[in-house]
Amino acid sequence: MESPTQEPTVPKGIYCPTITFFTNDSSQDLDLEAQAKHTKYLIEAGVHGITVLGTTGEAPMLSRKERNAVTKAVVSAKNEMNAGTTIVVGCSAQSVRETIEMCQEAKANGGQYALVLPPSYWATASTPTVIENFYRSVSFTHL
């Protein structure tokens, strides 16, 4: 049992990173119906958690509106199945401010945990101290 001061951790289990689905036409819009169908398939397969908008989810190429739509589609599919599956949402950005905003949006859209990678645009300036400060700044924000 966790002590009252211990931070919550992601529940143990099998987590599946999922891709982002697009229509197969010239618009290449999000295919939220396919996203929901795939989510239900993963839940039926027995995964304990689903990670969306991570490194396999094309997240850097999506607008914030599209990212939110993907999260909502996955959470909605989970809720339709009344599943206890944990939803982890990729919330990586190039600044602390935008990362925090994405974490807040993910939470508002039903995500339960955030996956955050360090900023990579200024890779040569990313010393261990810079990366640690980035994570401290993001994690100390009350989401």
Side-chain angles (χ1 to χ4, degrees):
M1 184 167 168
E2 293 181 23
S3 69
T5 58
Q6 188 176 2
E7 292 294 320
T9 59
V10 178
K12 292 180 181 180
I14 298 169
Y15 285 72
C16 181
T18 188
I19 61 173
T20 302
F21 290 85
F22 298 90
T23 59
N24 188 20
D25 57 25
S26 62
S27 72
Q28 295 183 336
D29 289 330
L30 292 174
D31 188 342
L32 298 176
E33 184 177 323
Q35 195 78 52
K37 185 176 179 181
H38 185 65
T39 298
K40 291 176 181 179
Y41 169 80
L42 293 174
I43 291 169
E44 288 172 351
V47 299
H48 300 102
I50 298 171
T51 302
V52 297
L53 304 170
T55 56
T56 60
E58 297 78 33
M61 307 306 173
L62 301 178
S63 69
R64 296 271 288 273
K65 181 179 177 181
E66 290 172 319
R67 291 171 68 105
N68 288 330
V70 170
T71 302
K72 287 177 184 177
V74 170
V75 170
S76 178
K78 170 196 157 180
N79 291 343
E80 283 179 26
M81 297 181 73
N82 199 27
T85 310
T86 301
I87 305 298
V88 179
V89 182
C91 297
S92 300
Q94 297 303 308
S95 71
V96 169
R97 182 182 67 217
E98 188 173 12
T99 301
I100 290 169
E101 289 171 0
M102 288 184 163
C103 290
Q104 291 168 334
E105 289 171 2
K107 182 178 180 180
N109 293 325
Q112 296 160 279
Y113 293 90
L115 172 66
V116 177
L117 300 175
S120 58
Y121 187 79
W122 297 281
T124 57
S126 293
T127 65
T129 301
V130 168
I131 294 170
E132 181 179 343
N133 287 338
F134 170 80
Y135 281 116
R136 284 184 185 276
S137 296
V138 171
S139 68
F140 289 139
T141 302
H142 297 285
L143 304 173

